[in-house]
């Protein structure tokens, strides 16, 4: 096997391992940060008068509603809050809809709008600026046997 073949094999393994670590180490940290952002940016923005919030019991703060995926081979992690409205704040006759677009944009409410309460961008910013994403990636790669040096 030539040097270029060896490099290609090593590179493919590294990319696959990074994809795996994004799901096993980075995604859980992003989900925890997203939950914090939901509580701070969404729940603390106002107190509802018409409905009862579900919080961690099927609501926006329930990590079970968060889904993580990796764009295979591209080392790109996506974490989405897939909480549905369960009948609240939707047009008559419409089925359940995802809450994130409504909350992020502030539009789509029938009775009133508390305004946009974005939390996705704030989540990304928080995990990058705090170093959480980098720390979790390094920890996961170390667990797989890589010698990752701190910068």
């Amino acid at each position: 096997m030539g040097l270029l073949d060896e490099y290609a094999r090593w590179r493919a393994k590294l990319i696959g391992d990074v994809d795996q670590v994004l799901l096993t180490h980075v995604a859980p940290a992003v989900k925890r940060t997203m939950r914090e952002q939901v509580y701070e940016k969404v729940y603390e923005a106002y107190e509802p008068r018409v409905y009862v919030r579900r919080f961690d019991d099927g609501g926006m703060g329930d990590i079970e509603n968060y889904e993580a995926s990796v764009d295979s081979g591209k080392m790109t992690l996506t974490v989405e809050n897939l909480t549905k409205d369960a009948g609240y704040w939707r047009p008559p006759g419409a089925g359940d809809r995802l809450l994130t677009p409504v909350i992020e944009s502030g539009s789509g409410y029938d009775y009133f709008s508390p305004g946009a309460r974005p939390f996705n961008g704030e989540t990304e910013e928080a995990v990058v600026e705090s170093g959480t994403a980098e720390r979790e990636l390094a920890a996961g790669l170390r667990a797989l046997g890589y010698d990752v040096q701190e910068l």
Side-chain angles (χ1 to χ4, degrees):
M1 181 181 297
L3 181 61
L4 287 178
D5 291 333
E6 182 67 21
Y7 167 75
R9 187 187 64 71
W10 181 85
R11 184 175 185 275
K13 180 178 180 344
L14 176 62
I15 290 171
D17 287 347
V18 168
D19 284 352
Q20 175 187 337
V21 168
L22 286 171
L23 285 175
T24 60
H25 285 73
V26 180
V30 172
K31 289 177 180 182
R32 287 189 300 273
T33 302
M34 180 177 282
R35 184 177 179 276
E36 292 168 5
Q37 291 295 320
V38 163
Y39 270 82
E40 180 183 328
K41 305 289 191 293
V42 177
Y43 288 142
E44 292 178 10
Y46 75 98
E47 196 64 41
R49 296 184 182 158
V50 179
Y51 63 94
V52 176
R53 287 180 166 158
R54 296 173 285 161
F55 295 100
D56 294 340
D57 187 21
M60 294 294 292
D62 190 341
I63 287 181
E64 295 296 316
N65 289 333
Y66 301 3
E67 184 175 303
S69 62
V70 171
D71 191 355
S72 185
K74 298 201 188 284
M75 299 185 286
T76 303
L77 173 69
T78 301
V79 177
E80 298 177 282
N81 187 323
L82 299 177
T83 304
K84 294 194 175 181
D85 64 7
Y88 293 111
W89 305 110
R90 64 179 174 189
D96 284 347
R97 63 183 173 171
L98 294 173
L99 282 175
T100 296
V102 175
I103 291 169
E104 288 259 327
S105 70
S107 63
Y109 294 89
D110 284 348
Y111 302 102
F112 78 102
S113 173
R117 294 169 290 155
F119 62 91
N120 279 318
E122 287 75 0
T123 299
E124 181 178 2
E125 187 176 301
V127 296
V128 171
E129 287 184 4
S130 68
T132 299
E134 189 174 319
R135 273 192 311 279
E136 292 297 328
L137 181 61
L141 289 172
R142 281 189 199 100
L144 292 176
Y146 289 91
D147 182 18
V148 179
Q149 303 296 313
E150 297 293 325
L151 295 178

